[in-house]
Amino acid sequence: MDSPDTLRHQGLRKRLVEGLRIKGIRDQRVLDAIAKVPRHLFMDSSFIQFAYKDQAFPIGAGQTISQPYTVAFQSMLLQLEPNEKVLEVGTGSGYQAAVLVEMGANVFTIERQRELYLKVQQLLPELGYHPKFFFGDGYKGLPTYGPFDKIIVTAGAPVIPDDLLQQLRIGGRMVIPLGPAEKQIMTVITRMGDDDFKKEVFGAFVFVPMLKGTEK
Ligand code: SAH
């Protein structure tokens, strides 16, 4: 591979992880995963110098790789147990999926933009990460693969997608940024029973929008 993971990159990741801890991420399993995943390899080479700043960056096709703090926060809210089946909506760069795989999850990830879907399908296995990749509309989820223990939505959703609620197992959690394009509220929905859902909120974030249908 043309851009390897060097000691310098590993050192920068350690500093990033310390920064996340200071910002309130105390889940050691999340921090360990972020310390391991070579984020710079998920970005275009022109952005490598920014890879370990706590910022979002463009990844092509008008999309972004989420800010490390946001990835850490959503991963923490999932409360993952080993081997849980997780649906991620919005594969994007594949970075969040890699973090979840690193944490021991069985990850199913879906992307609506073909260009990103194809790119990631090549990159992640090269880095040793093997989530299951799907091209499709995350509003519909993956009905034939559900129910899922956890669902993580990594685009800003204007409404809670009903299909996703139905694909959550009883006792399962969905982490989803909910709201209009300008600002979303990080929300955790726990399925308490067949038709019984509990909602908790965790502050404001800004994601690229969750869009309907697929592209090219
Ligand atoms: N998890 C990604 C974040 C990427 S940004 C990462 O770690 O890099 C959000 C992604 O959600 C974009 O790639 C966008 O194309 C995708 N997306 C938006 N609406 C979607 C939908 N309905 N179904 C699947 N993916 C969607």
Side-chain angles (χ1 to χ4, degrees), residues 77-98:
L77 289 178
L78 277 180
Q79 297 184 359
L80 273 184
E81 302 293 337
N83 300 315
E84 278 190 329
K85 214 162 114 184
V86 180
L87 172 63
E88 179 196 26
V89 173
T91 313
S93 70
Y95 177 69
Q96 172 75 73

mmCIF file with all atom_site columns, all heavy atoms in Angstrom, residues 77-98:
data_model
loop_
_atom_site.group_PDB
_atom_site.id
_atom_site.type_symbol
_atom_site.label_atom_id
_atom_site.label_alt_id
_atom_site.label_comp_id
_atom_site.label_asym_id
_atom_site.label_entity_id
_atom_site.label_seq_id
_atom_site.pdbx_PDB_ins_code
_atom_site.Cartn_x
_atom_site.Cartn_y
_atom_site.Cartn_z
_atom_site.occupancy
_atom_site.B_iso_or_equiv
_atom_site.pdbx_formal_charge
_atom_site.auth_seq_id
_atom_site.auth_comp_id
_atom_site.auth_asym_id
_atom_site.auth_atom_id
_atom_site.pdbx_PDB_model_num
ATOM 1   N N   . LEU A 1 77 ? -22.461 5.420   22.727 1.00 0.00 ? 77 LEU A N   1
ATOM 2   C CA  . LEU A 1 77 ? -23.905 5.323   22.984 1.00 0.00 ? 77 LEU A CA  1
ATOM 3   C C   . LEU A 1 77 ? -24.486 3.963   22.579 1.00 0.00 ? 77 LEU A C   1
ATOM 4   O O   . LEU A 1 77 ? -25.503 3.540   23.116 1.00 0.00 ? 77 LEU A O   1
ATOM 5   C CB  . LEU A 1 77 ? -24.658 6.438   22.250 1.00 0.00 ? 77 LEU A CB  1
ATOM 6   C CG  . LEU A 1 77 ? -24.467 7.856   22.786 1.00 0.00 ? 77 LEU A CG  1
ATOM 7   C CD1 . LEU A 1 77 ? -25.241 8.850   21.911 1.00 0.00 ? 77 LEU A CD1 1
ATOM 8   C CD2 . LEU A 1 77 ? -24.906 7.984   24.242 1.00 0.00 ? 77 LEU A CD2 1
ATOM 9   N N   . LEU A 1 78 ? -23.830 3.287   21.644 1.00 0.00 ? 78 LEU A N   1
ATOM 10  C CA  . LEU A 1 78 ? -24.338 1.977   21.205 1.00 0.00 ? 78 LEU A CA  1
ATOM 11  C C   . LEU A 1 78 ? -24.288 0.942   22.334 1.00 0.00 ? 78 LEU A C   1
ATOM 12  O O   . LEU A 1 78 ? -25.032 -0.027  22.320 1.00 0.00 ? 78 LEU A O   1
ATOM 13  C CB  . LEU A 1 78 ? -23.515 1.447   20.029 1.00 0.00 ? 78 LEU A CB  1
ATOM 14  C CG  . LEU A 1 78 ? -23.857 1.937   18.634 1.00 0.00 ? 78 LEU A CG  1
ATOM 15  C CD1 . LEU A 1 78 ? -22.910 1.281   17.634 1.00 0.00 ? 78 LEU A CD1 1
ATOM 16  C CD2 . LEU A 1 78 ? -25.303 1.635   18.250 1.00 0.00 ? 78 LEU A CD2 1
ATOM 17  N N   . GLN A 1 79 ? -23.354 1.125   23.302 1.00 0.00 ? 79 GLN A N   1
ATOM 18  C CA  . GLN A 1 79 ? -23.163 0.142   24.389 1.00 0.00 ? 79 GLN A CA  1
ATOM 19  C C   . GLN A 1 79 ? -23.003 -1.268  23.826 1.00 0.00 ? 79 GLN A C   1
ATOM 20  O O   . GLN A 1 79 ? -23.744 -2.194  24.187 1.00 0.00 ? 79 GLN A O   1
ATOM 21  C CB  . GLN A 1 79 ? -24.317 0.214   25.393 1.00 0.00 ? 79 GLN A CB  1
ATOM 22  C CG  . GLN A 1 79 ? -24.392 1.559   26.077 1.00 0.00 ? 79 GLN A CG  1
ATOM 23  C CD  . GLN A 1 79 ? -25.487 1.631   27.150 1.00 0.00 ? 79 GLN A CD  1
ATOM 24  O OE1 . GLN A 1 79 ? -26.216 0.673   27.378 1.00 0.00 ? 79 GLN A OE1 1
ATOM 25  N NE2 . GLN A 1 79 ? -25.581 2.770   27.804 1.00 0.00 ? 79 GLN A NE2 1
ATOM 26  N N   . LEU A 1 80 ? -22.022 -1.415  22.949 1.00 0.00 ? 80 LEU A N   1
ATOM 27  C CA  . LEU A 1 80 ? -21.784 -2.690  22.257 1.00 0.00 ? 80 LEU A CA  1
ATOM 28  C C   . LEU A 1 80 ? -21.334 -3.800  23.188 1.00 0.00 ? 80 LEU A C   1
ATOM 29  O O   . LEU A 1 80 ? -20.493 -3.585  24.053 1.00 0.00 ? 80 LEU A O   1
ATOM 30  C CB  . LEU A 1 80 ? -20.662 -2.492  21.236 1.00 0.00 ? 80 LEU A CB  1
ATOM 31  C CG  . LEU A 1 80 ? -21.015 -2.006  19.852 1.00 0.00 ? 80 LEU A CG  1
ATOM 32  C CD1 . LEU A 1 80 ? -19.747 -1.992  19.007 1.00 0.00 ? 80 LEU A CD1 1
ATOM 33  C CD2 . LEU A 1 80 ? -22.067 -2.895  19.222 1.00 0.00 ? 80 LEU A CD2 1
ATOM 34  N N   . GLU A 1 81 ? -21.877 -4.980  22.951 1.00 0.00 ? 81 GLU A N   1
ATOM 35  C CA  . GLU A 1 81 ? -21.362 -6.202  23.562 1.00 0.00 ? 81 GLU A CA  1
ATOM 36  C C   . GLU A 1 81 ? -20.671 -6.968  22.431 1.00 0.00 ? 81 GLU A C   1
ATOM 37  O O   . GLU A 1 81 ? -21.052 -6.837  21.266 1.00 0.00 ? 81 GLU A O   1
ATOM 38  C CB  . GLU A 1 81 ? -22.516 -7.043  24.126 1.00 0.00 ? 81 GLU A CB  1
ATOM 39  C CG  . GLU A 1 81 ? -23.385 -6.334  25.160 1.00 0.00 ? 81 GLU A CG  1
ATOM 40  C CD  . GLU A 1 81 ? -22.648 -6.028  26.447 1.00 0.00 ? 81 GLU A CD  1
ATOM 41  O OE1 . GLU A 1 81 ? -21.643 -6.711  26.725 1.00 0.00 ? 81 GLU A OE1 1
ATOM 42  O OE2 . GLU A 1 81 ? -23.054 -5.091  27.163 1.00 0.00 ? 81 GLU A OE2 1
ATOM 43  N N   . PRO A 1 82 ? -19.674 -7.810  22.774 1.00 0.00 ? 82 PRO A N   1
ATOM 44  C CA  . PRO A 1 82 ? -18.958 -8.542  21.728 1.00 0.00 ? 82 PRO A CA  1
ATOM 45  C C   . PRO A 1 82 ? -19.898 -9.350  20.835 1.00 0.00 ? 82 PRO A C   1
ATOM 46  O O   . PRO A 1 82 ? -20.873 -9.922  21.328 1.00 0.00 ? 82 PRO A O   1
ATOM 47  C CB  . PRO A 1 82 ? -18.024 -9.463  22.521 1.00 0.00 ? 82 PRO A CB  1
ATOM 48  C CG  . PRO A 1 82 ? -17.845 -8.789  23.831 1.00 0.00 ? 82 PRO A CG  1
ATOM 49  C CD  . PRO A 1 82 ? -19.124 -8.054  24.111 1.00 0.00 ? 82 PRO A CD  1
ATOM 50  N N   . ASN A 1 83 ? -19.580 -9.364  19.552 1.00 0.00 ? 83 ASN A N   1
ATOM 51  C CA  . ASN A 1 83 ? -20.319 -10.156 18.545 1.00 0.00 ? 83 ASN A CA  1
ATOM 52  C C   . ASN A 1 83 ? -21.735 -9.690  18.264 1.00 0.00 ? 83 ASN A C   1
ATOM 53  O O   . ASN A 1 83 ? -22.490 -10.389 17.588 1.00 0.00 ? 83 ASN A O   1
ATOM 54  C CB  . ASN A 1 83 ? -20.353 -11.644 18.911 1.00 0.00 ? 83 ASN A CB  1
ATOM 55  C CG  . ASN A 1 83 ? -18.957 -12.213 18.994 1.00 0.00 ? 83 ASN A CG  1
ATOM 56  O OD1 . ASN A 1 83 ? -18.126 -11.951 18.122 1.00 0.00 ? 83 ASN A OD1 1
ATOM 57  N ND2 . ASN A 1 83 ? -18.675 -12.947 20.058 1.00 0.00 ? 83 ASN A ND2 1
ATOM 58  N N   . GLU A 1 84 ? -22.123 -8.535  18.774 1.00 0.00 ? 84 GLU A N   1
ATOM 59  C CA  . GLU A 1 84 ? -23.471 -8.064  18.457 1.00 0.00 ? 84 GLU A CA  1
ATOM 60  C C   . GLU A 1 84 ? -23.579 -7.725  16.973 1.00 0.00 ? 84 GLU A C   1
ATOM 61  O O   . GLU A 1 84 ? -22.616 -7.284  16.342 1.00 0.00 ? 84 GLU A O   1
ATOM 62  C CB  . GLU A 1 84 ? -23.822 -6.838  19.308 1.00 0.00 ? 84 GLU A CB  1
ATOM 63  C CG  . GLU A 1 84 ? -24.299 -7.258  20.685 1.00 0.00 ? 84 GLU A CG  1
ATOM 64  C CD  . GLU A 1 84 ? -24.892 -6.118  21.478 1.00 0.00 ? 84 GLU A CD  1
ATOM 65  O OE1 . GLU A 1 84 ? -24.468 -4.954  21.296 1.00 0.00 ? 84 GLU A OE1 1
ATOM 66  O OE2 . GLU A 1 84 ? -25.781 -6.395  22.297 1.00 0.00 ? 84 GLU A OE2 1
ATOM 67  N N   . LYS A 1 85 ? -24.794 -7.921  16.466 1.00 0.00 ? 85 LYS A N   1
ATOM 68  C CA  . LYS A 1 85 ? -25.075 -7.626  15.067 1.00 0.00 ? 85 LYS A CA  1
ATOM 69  C C   . LYS A 1 85 ? -25.484 -6.163  14.968 1.00 0.00 ? 85 LYS A C   1
ATOM 70  O O   . LYS A 1 85 ? -26.465 -5.743  15.585 1.00 0.00 ? 85 LYS A O   1
ATOM 71  C CB  . LYS A 1 85 ? -26.252 -8.522  14.651 1.00 0.00 ? 85 LYS A CB  1
ATOM 72  C CG  . LYS A 1 85 ? -26.212 -8.985  13.233 1.00 0.00 ? 85 LYS A CG  1
ATOM 73  C CD  . LYS A 1 85 ? -27.136 -10.166 13.082 1.00 0.00 ? 85 LYS A CD  1
ATOM 74  C CE  . LYS A 1 85 ? -28.280 -9.817  12.188 1.00 0.00 ? 85 LYS A CE  1
ATOM 75  N NZ  . LYS A 1 85 ? -29.245 -10.916 12.090 1.00 0.00 ? 85 LYS A NZ  1
ATOM 76  N N   . VAL A 1 86 ? -24.714 -5.405  14.188 1.00 0.00 ? 86 VAL A N   1
ATOM 77  C CA  . VAL A 1 86 ? -24.932 -3.955  14.110 1.00 0.00 ? 86 VAL A CA  1
ATOM 78  C C   . VAL A 1 86 ? -25.208 -3.552  12.666 1.00 0.00 ? 86 VAL A C   1
ATOM 79  O O   . VAL A 1 86 ? -24.458 -3.914  11.759 1.00 0.00 ? 86 VAL A O   1
ATOM 80  C CB  . VAL A 1 86 ? -23.692 -3.179  14.607 1.00 0.00 ? 86 VAL A CB  1
ATOM 81  C CG1 . VAL A 1 86 ? -23.923 -1.677  14.517 1.00 0.00 ? 86 VAL A CG1 1
ATOM 82  C CG2 . VAL A 1 86 ? -23.340 -3.576  16.032 1.00 0.00 ? 86 VAL A CG2 1
ATOM 83  N N   . LEU A 1 87 ? -26.261 -2.778  12.472 1.00 0.00 ? 87 LEU A N   1
ATOM 84  C CA  . LEU A 1 87 ? -26.527 -2.165  11.170 1.00 0.00 ? 87 LEU A CA  1
ATOM 85  C C   . LEU A 1 87 ? -26.053 -0.720  11.200 1.00 0.00 ? 87 LEU A C   1
ATOM 86  O O   . LEU A 1 87 ? -26.466 0.053   12.071 1.00 0.00 ? 87 LEU A O   1
ATOM 87  C CB  . LEU A 1 87 ? -28.031 -2.207  10.855 1.00 0.00 ? 87 LEU A CB  1
ATOM 88  C CG  . LEU A 1 87 ? -28.473 -1.419  9.607  1.00 0.00 ? 87 LEU A CG  1
ATOM 89  C CD1 . LEU A 1 87 ? -27.850 -1.988  8.335  1.00 0.00 ? 87 LEU A CD1 1
ATOM 90  C CD2 . LEU A 1 87 ? -30.003 -1.424  9.484  1.00 0.00 ? 87 LEU A CD2 1
ATOM 91  N N   . GLU A 1 88 ? -25.162 -0.366  10.256 1.00 0.00 ? 88 GLU A N   1
ATOM 92  C CA  . GLU A 1 88 ? -24.760 1.035   10.109 1.00 0.00 ? 88 GLU A CA  1
ATOM 93  C C   . GLU A 1 88 ? -25.400 1.597   8.838  1.00 0.00 ? 88 GLU A C   1
ATOM 94  O O   . GLU A 1 88 ? -25.252 1.022   7.758  1.00 0.00 ? 88 GLU A O   1
ATOM 95  C CB  . GLU A 1 88 ? -23.239 1.163   9.977  1.00 0.00 ? 88 GLU A CB  1
ATOM 96  C CG  . GLU A 1 88 ? -22.832 2.639   9.810  1.00 0.00 ? 88 GLU A CG  1
ATOM 97  C CD  . GLU A 1 88 ? -21.403 2.862   9.296  1.00 0.00 ? 88 GLU A CD  1
ATOM 98  O OE1 . GLU A 1 88 ? -20.859 1.988   8.616  1.00 0.00 ? 88 GLU A OE1 1
ATOM 99  O OE2 . GLU A 1 88 ? -20.854 3.929   9.578  1.00 0.00 ? 88 GLU A OE2 1
ATOM 100 N N   . VAL A 1 89 ? -26.064 2.723   8.971  1.00 0.00 ? 89 VAL A N   1
ATOM 101 C CA  . VAL A 1 89 ? -26.618 3.410   7.802  1.00 0.00 ? 89 VAL A CA  1
ATOM 102 C C   . VAL A 1 89 ? -25.676 4.555   7.447  1.00 0.00 ? 89 VAL A C   1
ATOM 103 O O   . VAL A 1 89 ? -25.425 5.440   8.276  1.00 0.00 ? 89 VAL A O   1
ATOM 104 C CB  . VAL A 1 89 ? -28.039 3.945   8.087  1.00 0.00 ? 89 VAL A CB  1
ATOM 105 C CG1 . VAL A 1 89 ? -28.520 4.809   6.920  1.00 0.00 ? 89 VAL A CG1 1
ATOM 106 C CG2 . VAL A 1 89 ? -28.998 2.796   8.347  1.00 0.00 ? 89 VAL A CG2 1
ATOM 107 N N   . GLY A 1 90 ? -25.137 4.523   6.211  1.00 0.00 ? 90 GLY A N   1
ATOM 108 C CA  . GLY A 1 90 ? -24.207 5.568   5.761  1.00 0.00 ? 90 GLY A CA  1
ATOM 109 C C   . GLY A 1 90 ? -22.764 5.117   5.904  1.00 0.00 ? 90 GLY A C   1
ATOM 110 O O   . GLY A 1 90 ? -22.031 5.594   6.764  1.00 0.00 ? 90 GLY A O   1
ATOM 111 N N   . THR A 1 91 ? -22.323 4.194   5.037  1.00 0.00 ? 91 THR A N   1
ATOM 112 C CA  . THR A 1 91 ? -20.956 3.655   5.113  1.00 0.00 ? 91 THR A CA  1
ATOM 113 C C   . THR A 1 91 ? -19.926 4.758   4.939  1.00 0.00 ? 91 THR A C   1
ATOM 114 O O   . THR A 1 91 ? -18.900 4.772   5.635  1.00 0.00 ? 91 THR A O   1
ATOM 115 C CB  . THR A 1 91 ? -20.728 2.593   4.006  1.00 0.00 ? 91 THR A CB  1
ATOM 116 O OG1 . THR A 1 91 ? -21.825 1.688   3.993  1.00 0.00 ? 91 THR A OG1 1
ATOM 117 C CG2 . THR A 1 91 ? -19.419 1.862   4.204  1.00 0.00 ? 91 THR A CG2 1
ATOM 118 N N   . GLY A 1 92 ? -20.177 5.669   3.985  1.00 0.00 ? 92 GLY A N   1
ATOM 119 C CA  . GLY A 1 92 ? -19.260 6.789   3.731  1.00 0.00 ? 92 GLY A CA  1
ATOM 120 C C   . GLY A 1 92 ? -17.845 6.312   3.484  1.00 0.00 ? 92 GLY A C   1
ATOM 121 O O   . GLY A 1 92 ? -17.592 5.481   2.612  1.00 0.00 ? 92 GLY A O   1
ATOM 122 N N   . SER A 1 93 ? -16.907 6.794   4.294  1.00 0.00 ? 93 SER A N   1
ATOM 123 C CA  . SER A 1 93 ? -15.496 6.418   4.157  1.00 0.00 ? 93 SER A CA  1
ATOM 124 C C   . SER A 1 93 ? -15.229 5.016   4.675  1.00 0.00 ? 93 SER A C   1
ATOM 125 O O   . SER A 1 93 ? -14.166 4.451   4.410  1.00 0.00 ? 93 SER A O   1
ATOM 126 C CB  . SER A 1 93 ? -14.642 7.399   4.963  1.00 0.00 ? 93 SER A CB  1
ATOM 127 O OG  . SER A 1 93 ? -14.861 7.184   6.355  1.00 0.00 ? 93 SER A OG  1
ATOM 128 N N   . GLY A 1 94 ? -16.121 4.482   5.492  1.00 0.00 ? 94 GLY A N   1
ATOM 129 C CA  . GLY A 1 94 ? -15.907 3.175   6.112  1.00 0.00 ? 94 GLY A CA  1
ATOM 130 C C   . GLY A 1 94 ? -15.225 3.260   7.468  1.00 0.00 ? 94 GLY A C   1
ATOM 131 O O   . GLY A 1 94 ? -15.022 2.241   8.133  1.00 0.00 ? 94 GLY A O   1
ATOM 132 N N   . TYR A 1 95 ? -14.885 4.476   7.893  1.00 0.00 ? 95 TYR A N   1
ATOM 133 C CA  . TYR A 1 95 ? -14.131 4.621   9.153  1.00 0.00 ? 95 TYR A CA  1
ATOM 134 C C   . TYR A 1 95 ? -14.950 4.156   10.368 1.00 0.00 ? 95 TYR A C   1
ATOM 135 O O   . TYR A 1 95 ? -14.474 3.378   11.195 1.00 0.00 ? 95 TYR A O   1
ATOM 136 C CB  . TYR A 1 95 ? -13.679 6.074   9.313  1.00 0.00 ? 95 TYR A CB  1
ATOM 137 C CG  . TYR A 1 95 ? -12.956 6.320   10.617 1.00 0.00 ? 95 TYR A CG  1
ATOM 138 C CD1 . TYR A 1 95 ? -11.700 5.782   10.843 1.00 0.00 ? 95 TYR A CD1 1
ATOM 139 C CD2 . TYR A 1 95 ? -13.551 7.072   11.628 1.00 0.00 ? 95 TYR A CD2 1
ATOM 140 C CE1 . TYR A 1 95 ? -11.035 5.990   12.044 1.00 0.00 ? 95 TYR A CE1 1
ATOM 141 C CE2 . TYR A 1 95 ? -12.892 7.291   12.829 1.00 0.00 ? 95 TYR A CE2 1
ATOM 142 C CZ  . TYR A 1 95 ? -11.638 6.745   13.033 1.00 0.00 ? 95 TYR A CZ  1
ATOM 143 O OH  . TYR A 1 95 ? -10.995 6.944   14.225 1.00 0.00 ? 95 TYR A OH  1
ATOM 144 N N   . GLN A 1 96 ? -16.187 4.629   10.456 1.00 0.00 ? 96 GLN A N   1
ATOM 145 C CA  . GLN A 1 96 ? -17.032 4.219   11.592 1.00 0.00 ? 96 GLN A CA  1
ATOM 146 C C   . GLN A 1 96 ? -17.224 2.695   11.597 1.00 0.00 ? 96 GLN A C   1
ATOM 147 O O   . GLN A 1 96 ? -17.166 2.059   12.648 1.00 0.00 ? 96 GLN A O   1
ATOM 148 C CB  . GLN A 1 96 ? -18.391 4.925   11.505 1.00 0.00 ? 96 GLN A CB  1
ATOM 149 C CG  . GLN A 1 96 ? -19.430 4.453   12.514 1.00 0.00 ? 96 GLN A CG  1
ATOM 150 C CD  . GLN A 1 96 ? -19.189 4.938   13.928 1.00 0.00 ? 96 GLN A CD  1
ATOM 151 O OE1 . GLN A 1 96 ? -19.387 6.108   14.238 1.00 0.00 ? 96 GLN A OE1 1
ATOM 152 N NE2 . GLN A 1 96 ? -18.729 4.046   14.792 1.00 0.00 ? 96 GLN A NE2 1
ATOM 153 N N   . ALA A 1 97 ? -17.414 2.116   10.414 1.00 0.00 ? 97 ALA A N   1
ATOM 154 C CA  . ALA A 1 97 ? -17.587 0.660   10.323 1.00 0.00 ? 97 ALA A CA  1
ATOM 155 C C   . ALA A 1 97 ? -16.337 -0.047  10.845 1.00 0.00 ? 97 ALA A C   1
ATOM 156 O O   . ALA A 1 97 ? -16.436 -1.030  11.590 1.00 0.00 ? 97 ALA A O   1
ATOM 157 C CB  . ALA A 1 97 ? -17.872 0.252   8.877  1.00 0.00 ? 97 ALA A CB  1
ATOM 158 N N   . ALA A 1 98 ? -15.152 0.473   10.481 1.00 0.00 ? 98 ALA A N   1
ATOM 159 C CA  . ALA A 1 98 ? -13.894 -0.137  10.929 1.00 0.00 ? 98 ALA A CA  1
ATOM 160 C C   . ALA A 1 98 ? -13.772 -0.068  12.449 1.00 0.00 ? 98 ALA A C   1
ATOM 161 O O   . ALA A 1 98 ? -13.341 -1.027  13.100 1.00 0.00 ? 98 ALA A O   1
ATOM 162 C CB  . ALA A 1 98 ? -12.714 0.555   10.261 1.00 0.00 ? 98 ALA A CB  1
#
